[in-house]
Amino acid sequence: QVQFVESGGGLVQAGGSLRLSCAASGSTFSINIMGWYRQAPEKQRELIASISRGGYTNYADSVKGRFTISRDNADNTLYLQMNSLKPDDTAVYYCNAPYDSRRFAYWGQGTQVTVSS
């Protein structure tokens, strides 16, 4: 019954910033680690950032130093602050629970981020 709804995507120029949000609902009490994924056209979906309930974070090298993942546990909301955006960041961005056994049923529609040069 877990649902994730992503929002905040859009069109931005290179060097700009964007903040994505992920609203979670349903039986999320058992989820510890949440993450952001992205999928560019004709490429594999990749995990780019993750965060535990305690605030421990991990980032892919491609976004380290530019993106910041955070969460509001009380509101069941996940965020991704994206700075210094590059055209290579263009993708559909999704949130999910990367280590939850039921994660494959949780995928939302994602939110499109397009970075122009």
Side-chain angles (χ1 to χ4, degrees):
Q1 295 182 28
V2 173
Q3 291 182 316
F4 298 125
V5 179
E6 300 91 346
S7 62
L11 176 64
V12 65
Q13 294 182 355
S17 298
L18 211 56
R19 191 188 192 214
L20 307 183
S21 298
C22 168
S25 62
S27 302
T28 61
F29 59 88
S30 63
I31 298 175
N32 179 31
I33 299 174
M34 285 292 298
W36 283 99
Y37 296 75
R38 68 183 182 187
Q39 186 169 26
E42 299 183 341
K43 292 186 177 180
Q44 291 282 98
R45 190 174 303 185
E46 61 174 339
L47 179 67
I48 59 171
S50 62
I51 185 170
S52 70
R53 283 189 178 273
Y56 294 96
T57 59
N58 194 37
Y59 298 92
D61 288 341
S62 58
V63 306
K64 190 173 297 183
R66 299 188 298 121
F67 292 8
T68 302
I69 188 171
S70 61
R71 65 193 294 172
D72 184 334
N73 292 326
D75 290 338
N76 290 316
T77 305
L78 184 73
Y79 302 98
L80 185 68
Q81 178 65 47
M82 304 185 294
N83 298 325
S84 301
L85 284 162
K86 306 174 181 179
D88 285 348
D89 295 320
T90 296
V92 178
Y93 285 72
Y94 304 86
C95 60
N96 212 329
Y99 304 104
D100 192 291
S101 62
R102 297 160 293 180
R103 64 190 181 277
F104 298 112
Y106 299 163
W107 292 112
Q109 65 180 354
T111 186
Q112 175 71 49
V113 172
T114 302
V115 184
S116 64
S117 60

